[in-house]
Amino acid sequence: MATSTPVLPETIYDDLRSSIIAQQQAPGSLVTESSVASRFGVSRQTAKVAIERLVAEGVLRREAHRAARVPLLTVDDIVDLFDNRALVESAAVSRLASSGILPSGAIAAHRALLDAAASGERFADHDVAFHRALVLGAPSPRLARLHELLLGEIELCIGQVQAAQLLTATEVGAQHQGILDAVLAGDSPLASRLIEEHIAGSRDRLVASSL
């Protein structure tokens, strides 16, 4: 008699994360252990493992003795997040430009984003991967840790930017190309300025759409 393959917490985590980033679960909506357990046919304990991981990353929020929710970011949240993100990523690209070396992960993510622009597919994952690769390539373990703390909420915001069509993949790709060119040219001030402008542009459009 055939037995079904058990659903692992990692699978649940990936599925929930993707649906939240893609705005398939609205900001403010509940994500309960019972609903996740029912959806995936797993125990509540297995569902809890996946949910707690998303809470730790900032993709979900949970208050004491309450169910987890998809974060509903305020304007102040968005401004604070993007301004701190700019500090970290600006420092990272400045370090990269000093060496003139482009991280292979950033190049791969940039190409994938351009492919998505050509095909009309979703590009948020490639956008996130590009920025993450820049920071990881700096290299600075402390910058990477700081960025990782922000990454869950960054992904939420990038998902909102894409869902609301505040920026196209073509626009994002052009801005990424400018950053890569500045890094390759060894121009630290320009690389830092371009990534700060890139992040500020997304911040301002997202804030305007939230008012």
Side-chain angles (χ1 to χ4, degrees):
M1 180 177 177
T3 58
S4 59
T5 303
V7 180
L8 300 175
E10 184 73 23
T11 302
I12 300 170
Y13 161 84
D14 288 338
D15 191 286
L16 285 175
R17 186 184 184 91
S18 295
S19 65
I20 293 167
I21 300 303
Q23 304 295 292
Q24 294 168 2
Q25 294 185 239
S29 61
L30 286 171
V31 180
T32 66
E33 293 167 13
S34 59
S35 66
V36 172
S38 176
R39 173 179 168 185
F40 291 94
V42 297
S43 69
R44 290 187 58 168
Q45 181 58 36
T46 299
K48 182 179 180 180
V49 171
I51 289 172
E52 289 301 328
R53 183 174 171 188
L54 291 168
V55 170
E57 293 179 356
V59 177
L60 289 174
R61 286 183 182 171
R62 187 203 291 273
E63 297 178 6
H65 311 300
R66 298 286 184 91
R69 288 182 180 272
V70 178
L72 183 60
L73 298 178
T74 66
V75 168
D76 287 344
D77 288 332
I78 294 167
V79 171
D80 183 56
L81 171 64
F82 275 70
D83 287 355
N84 280 283
R85 175 191 172 192
L87 291 173
V88 174
E89 295 191 21
S90 175
V93 296
S94 178
R95 285 171 176 253
L96 286 172
S98 295
S99 67
I101 297 174
L102 295 175
S104 59
I107 296 171
H110 180 56
R111 288 173 177 164
L113 190 146
L114 295 180
D115 288 342
S119 63
E121 296 176 357
R122 292 187 56 80
F123 64 89
D125 288 347
H126 307 311
D127 192 0
V128 172
F130 175 82
H131 288 274
R132 188 177 194 179
L134 289 177
V135 176
L136 289 175
S140 168
R142 289 169 181 80
L143 274 181
R145 286 203 298 270
L146 287 170
H147 197 248
E148 201 68 27
L149 289 173
L150 303 174
L151 200 56
E153 290 181 319
I154 289 171
E155 288 191 74
L156 284 173
C157 288
I158 288 176
Q160 290 177 22
V161 167
Q162 178 173 319
Q165 298 182 330
L166 303 179
L167 281 168
T168 67
T170 300
E171 290 174 308
V172 173
Q175 293 171 15
H176 285 184
Q177 186 63 60
I179 295 164
L180 292 176
D181 290 344
V183 169
L184 191 59
D187 193 333
S188 292
L190 179 60
S192 293
R193 178 172 64 80
L194 289 176
I195 204 163
E196 288 168 3
E197 290 175 352
H198 172 58
I199 292 170
S202 295
R203 177 202 63 203
D204 293 346
R205 294 191 190 202
L206 191 54
V207 165
S209 73
S210 302
L211 297 176

